[in-house]
Amino acid sequence: MEEQVVDEQKKEDKKNPSRLILLVVLVIVLALATLVVVYAKKYNQDDSVPTSTSTPSPTISVTATTERIVDQGVRWISPQKLGDLGLIVKNSSGDTDSYAGTTYYKVGELESDGEVILAQVSMNWPTSIGYGQFFRFIHRGDNYSMLTKNSDRYTGEYFSFATNVSQDNNYVFASLLADNVIINGDTKLVKTDGWQVYFSDEAKEATKDREKKAIAQTKWGSLDLTSDKQIDSSSSSKVASYTIKLNDSSEVSYKSIPKFMRDDSTLDLSWKVESAQENSYNQVASGGCGLGSGGFPIISDNSLLSGLETAADNAGGSKLLYSTDSESKINKFGYEMYQMGREGTQIKPISDFVADTGIVVWEDAYGQYIPYLYTEYAPLVECGKPVVYLYPDSETPFEVKVGANVTVSEPSYGSGWSGTAKPSGQLIVNGKTYPNLFWEGLGWGVYPQINSGTVVAAKDAEATIRSQLQYMNLNDQEITDFMEFWSPKLPKSNYVRISWIYGEEMDNLAPLYVNPKPDSVIRVFMDFAALDEIVDIKSQQLPKFERKGFTVVEWGGLLVK
């Protein structure tokens, strides 16, 4: 019976040759489609990622933007810390003090008998390559191949690779290559850092208070909203960033900005508020005198959003909101930020702030509300007059740099200070003698959350500060200099809250590089606030710093101009 059906089909094809041609064409189309699918899977639809002739690249499977990229031939594992593999070594010449060492982790295993190594380079100073770099290696036997497409750019200035390390420009793990920009409607997520490692013991401790919430899925992993420090004491807003945790447990972070913002910070929208059409807006500062990296503010108190109206229409569908009510919480919040760093006659009334549309709130494509201040009302806060003293054991040439955007300095900062330091503390820079180095500006790090300190009556503030500086082992001249600068700037309120930033928090806010490396470093930074009444705050345990050998001392504070 089956043979009869086949014969009948052949007869039909002879009578109808077009049917046969159609079948042949269909077979060819299916074959070509199969080739296209195979090619797309192998190259992730991107012919800029070729395979290596020496070591086959993992096969990549992608069918949609939200479908996770899969690197075939590798099994990703929880990071395992390794000993010093010696793959990266400090250069014997040049700026050798900048390189602080490398930590190695095993993050993956290959089906072809090999493993994936992640190397995290640490730097003593934020050089042109940043605080550190990340390199990924394929390890087989005694051979290590550094994957250039999955690693930071190598400058060769501070460290080199060992002789058993080769460089592979072709082999690539596509799942570790998150896009630099992710577009969603009117929202543009811009990658702000390189790879970050948050699985080390130190990183876990530093980020233990962060909150994470899954927002969306991407090809590389879950897009999370990571919220960090409060911007203000009332918890109205927080610093946040969007992060993607990659297959090897490293993370990349993104800052959310609107597509409709022009280069001059004006907004390309159909405004309902005529007075705001030419206004330029910037995100509310992420706190204190730190610029931060990747952080943007989000409204964390929904009551600030009540009663808001639409400020402008935009094609992308996101909302821009504002309020015309001087008593609204959002205007009071913006007006409070505006007053930071201003005194008396410098401060316009809140009615002017509202009339000028001093604050707007943008709802991005992921449902987060981000406040923007009219640039005329930007707060005036900087790291105020940090002063650096050097006390070597003998007359010593020195070099000093600070991790900040320096706006004022004495002597002139340029790209850093250099000169000769004497045991007395005198500094010779460009033929002139100075008692110290001072600067003002914005630190490159995130300003830390203030959650402890001392609350005293305003009349007792100076005595308290002096006593605390003595306890932390600053000498008489340093304390005199500090009080001379800061006493006139203390608030004339009923009470004053005094808090100190020091140690690791200070190093993160504005790293300090001194060459030659000192034996002792004392860095203290005062944060204070005016209070109408006593508030309950955790008592701060201050350190008693040691002074021995080549000692460097730096003091500063949050400048309220």
Side-chain angles (χ1 to χ4, degrees):
M1 184 67 179
E2 183 179 338
E3 290 179 1
Q4 184 179 351
V5 172
V6 172
D7 288 340
E8 291 297 325
Q9 182 65 59
K10 287 181 179 178
K11 290 176 183 177
E12 183 64 23
D13 289 342
K14 286 180 181 179
K15 292 178 184 178
N16 230 331
S18 61
R19 177 186 176 92
L20 184 60
I21 293 171
L22 182 60
L23 287 171
V24 171
V25 170
L26 183 59
V27 169
I28 293 172
V29 169
L30 287 173
L32 288 173
T34 302
L35 287 173
V36 169
V37 170
V38 170
Y39 186 86
K41 285 183 176 181
K42 187 173 183 180
Y43 295 103
N44 189 21
Q45 299 174 339
D46 182 0
D47 58 7
S48 66
V49 184
T51 54
S52 169
T53 54
S54 57
T55 311
S57 179
T59 304
I60 301 156
S61 175
V62 182
T63 57
T65 27
T66 55
E67 185 171 336
R68 189 73 174 262
I69 294 176
V70 176
D71 300 311
Q72 302 295 338
V74 60
R75 182 176 70 88
W76 300 105
I77 63 173
S78 296
Q80 299 174 4
K81 189 174 181 180
L82 306 173
D84 186 1
L85 301 179
L87 306 180
I88 297 172
V89 294
K90 179 191 293 189
N91 283 348
S92 57
S93 60
D95 189 2
T96 58
D97 286 336
S98 289
Y99 174 75
T102 303
T103 307
Y104 300 91
Y105 301 90
K106 177 181 175 181
V107 294
E109 295 175 343
L110 301 179
E111 291 178 358
S112 54
D113 192 24
E115 56 187 11
V116 185
I117 304 296
L118 173 63
Q120 179 185 8
V121 175
S122 299
M123 306 297 292
N124 286 320
W125 162 248
T127 63
S128 57
I129 63 172
Y131 289 96
Q133 286 189 298
F134 297 84
F135 298 92
R136 294 178 176 87
F137 300 83
I138 293 296
H139 173 215
R140 288 190 176 92
D142 295 329
N143 298 317
Y144 291 87
S145 297
M146 193 271 283
L147 308 182
T148 57
K149 285 187 169 64
N150 289 131
S151 300
D152 282 319
R153 184 174 61 87
Y154 169 59
T155 66
E157 184 177 0
Y158 305 97
F159 50 83
S160 304
F161 293 106
T163 55
N164 63 330
V165 174
S166 60
Q167 295 190 31
D168 193 322
N169 298 321
N170 298 309
Y171 199 110
V172 63
F173 294 114
S175 70
L176 306 181
L177 296 180
D179 286 348
N180 290 327
V181 178
I182 299 174
I183 303 292
N184 183 1
D186 267 345
T187 300
K188 182 164 61 173
L189 300 186
V190 179
K191 191 192 296 183
T192 56
D193 294 309
W195 296 284
Q196 301 296 317
V197 170
Y198 291 122
F199 46 74
S200 67
D201 292 338
E202 298 81 4
K204 286 178 181 177
E205 176 63 26
T207 60
K208 64 181 180 181
D209 295 328
R210 290 183 175 177
E211 299 176 3
K212 279 197 173 186
K213 180 172 67 174
I215 296 293
Q217 290 299 317
T218 74
K219 294 185 291 185
W220 311 279
S222 172
L223 179 70
D224 298 330
L225 177 74
T226 301
S227 56
D228 198 359
K229 307 292 186 182
Q230 298 173 2
I231 292 177
D232 64 309
S233 58
S234 64
S235 305
S236 296
S237 55
K238 290 185 177 182
V239 175
S241 64
Y242 288 113
T243 57
I244 299 176
K245 186 176 181 179
L246 304 176
N247 277 339
D248 66 350
S249 295
S250 63
E251 290 187 1
V252 289
S253 61
Y254 291 84
K255 185 171 185 174
S256 181
I257 59 176
K259 278 179 62 180
F260 49 77
M261 177 167 279
R262 302 186 182 100
D263 291 341
D264 62 358
S265 295
T266 59
L267 306 179
D268 185 11
L269 299 169
S270 298
W271 283 92
K272 297 179 182 295
V273 187
E274 187 175 346
S275 63
Q277 288 185 12
E278 303 301 321
N279 287 3
S280 57
Y281 287 90
N282 285 327
Q283 289 177 353
V284 170
S286 58
C289 67
L291 291 173
S293 182
F296 58 88
I298 59 171
I299 298 293
S300 56
D301 179 0
N302 286 336
S303 67
L304 269 70
L305 304 174
S306 63
L308 299 189
E309 305 173 38
T310 301
D313 293 327
N314 52 89
S318 60
K319 298 176 184 176
L320 196 69
L321 306 172
Y322 83 120
S323 173
T324 58
D325 183 2
S326 296
E327 295 299 314
S328 69
K329 285 190 174 183
I330 190 64
N331 278 328
K332 287 184 175 180
F333 166 72
Y335 190 65
E336 180 183 345
M337 301 300 292
Y338 153 63
Q339 293 179 78
M340 291 177 63
R342 292 180 170 88
E343 297 177 359
T345 56
Q346 291 182 303
I347 302 175
K348 293 182 180 180
I350 192 170
S351 56
D352 287 0
F353 178 87
V354 173
D356 292 338
T357 317
I359 187 170
V360 294
V361 178
W362 171 52
E363 182 188 10
D364 73 5
Y366 302 98
Q368 301 307 311
Y369 291 91
I370 304 172
Y372 279 77
L373 278 177
Y374 178 19
T375 51
E376 292 294 321
Y377 293 95
L380 299 177
V381 289
E382 290 186 329
C383 294
K385 199 181 180 180
V387 173
V388 182
Y389 305 83
L390 307 179
Y391 304 100
D393 290 328
S394 59
E395 191 169 300
T396 303
F398 73 88
E399 181 184 12
V400 174
K401 296 180 182 179
V402 62
N405 291 348
V406 177
T407 57
V408 180
S409 61
E410 181 67 26
S412 177
Y413 181 76
S415 58
W417 293 292
S418 60
T420 301
K422 297 183 178 181
S424 64
Q426 283 190 329
L427 307 174
I428 312 299
V429 179
N430 295 327
K432 294 183 178 180
T433 301
Y434 299 88
N436 48 52
L437 311 167
F438 94 84
W439 63 275
E440 293 176 5
L442 290 169
W444 289 352
V446 175
Y447 198 81
Q449 175 65 31
I450 303 300
N451 51 26
S452 63
T454 306
V455 176
V456 298
K459 63 181 180 62
D460 299 325
E462 289 189 33
T464 301
I465 293 169
R466 186 181 296 274
S467 174
Q468 291 178 336
L469 289 171
Q470 288 173 338
Y471 179 83
M472 290 187 286
N473 212 11
L474 274 71
N475 66 27
D476 291 342
Q477 185 61 56
E478 293 155 3
I479 294 173
T480 298
D481 293 344
F482 184 96
M483 300 307 299
E484 182 180 296
F485 182 80
W486 288 106
S487 291
K489 295 173 172 56
L490 293 175
K492 306 297 187 290
S493 52
N494 294 332
Y495 300 93
V496 179
R497 190 264 300 152
I498 302 165
S499 302
W500 296 94
I501 299 169
Y502 55 85
E504 185 178 353
E505 284 188 337
M506 188 61 202
D507 292 338
N508 289 333
L509 174 61
L512 184 70
Y513 167 81
V514 181
N515 185 30
K517 189 175 181 179
D519 301 302
S520 303
V521 178
I522 302 172
R523 305 187 73 198
V524 296
F525 186 94
M526 183 176 68
D527 183 293
F528 58 90
L531 299 174
D532 292 328
E533 57 187 26
I534 295 177
V535 298
D536 186 22
I537 188 170
K538 179 182 176 183
S539 178
Q540 188 171 26
Q541 299 299 314
L542 298 178
K544 194 168 185 65
F545 292 104
E546 188 178 31
R547 301 177 75 120
K548 66 176 183 179
F550 179 18
T551 299
V552 171
V553 177
E554 181 188 38
W555 58 250
L558 183 61
L559 182 64
V560 180
K561 288 191 172 182

